[in-house]
Amino acid sequence: MDIRIVKDTQFFREMSEKEIRDALTRLTSFEKKYRKGSFVFRAGSTTEYMGLVTEGGVTIESNDLWGNKTILNHAGPGEFFAETYGFLGTQPLLVDVVANESSRILFLQIGALRNMLSRNETWVTKLTLNLLGISMQKNLMLSGRSFQTAPKTIRGRVMAYLDSLATAKGRQEFDIPFDRQQMADYLNVERTALSKELGKMKQEGLIGFRKNHFILRRG
């Protein structure tokens, strides 16, 4: 594959092209395309592979037996998912991973890394350190979501979510990775109530938005 697609991602940070090619070969990498709405991984399954989004995006969802959905996270181009499950290999997934749009995913058999840690190869050391950094960053993201869904009101959750994105992106105008239903699922609120509250906030001059593009207007 074209190394330029992945060389600037966090997983391959500070690795040479040769080291990246060695990693892709040794971790039995392959690419696969997915249509919007199709499952990449299903809850209850196991895998030794992690996924890198090279095009499109996926949502990480919790779906219960009664049809209730909670969106836990989103991974866009250059971002990874299922690295913990892939590394452990035998732990059943507690979540579904679903293509949010037409997507292309690069899979890497990260579970194979367990048998390579004792080898004196630079790409193994760099990849392991990068994987640790990704896992710690994911923990921070999950902690952030708990703050975003902690407020009791819909407005409080919307403001916490948008404020966290503005802080992360360093600007007041940005796109969110969700449509309105997915945003409601992420914040654990009803879509109709969310749309109504967004409309009120827009009328009050707190925010501006069109589809998934938002502007924060602070006094």
Side-chain angles (χ1 to χ4, degrees), residues 1 6 12 24 29-32 50-54 80-81 104-108:
M1 66 170 296
V6 299
F12 294 110
L24 292 175
S29 65
F30 66 93
E31 279 190 297
K32 189 173 179 180
M50 63 184 291
L52 162 63
V53 180
T54 57
F80 291 83
F81 59 90
R104 184 188 296 268
I105 311 296
L106 172 67
F107 291 96
L108 303 109

Side-chain angles (χ1 to χ4, degrees), residues 38-104:
S38 58
F39 285 86
V40 180
F41 289 130
R42 287 184 179 271
S45 64
T46 60
T47 183
E48 284 198 336
Y49 285 84
M50 63 184 291
L52 162 63
V53 180
T54 57
E55 183 180 316
V58 300
T59 53
I60 291 80
E61 307 175 355
S62 174
N63 295 284
D64 65 25
L65 294 175
W66 299 273
N68 300 308
K69 178 192 296 183
T70 300
I71 292 181
L72 304 174
N73 205 350
H74 173 272
E79 296 179 328
F80 291 83
F81 59 90
E83 65 280 353
T84 300
Y85 291 108
F87 187 80
L88 295 176
T90 58
Q91 183 68 36
L93 275 77
L94 300 177
V95 295
D96 294 314
V97 181
V98 182
N100 194 41
E101 54 190 297
S102 295
S103 303
R104 184 188 296 268

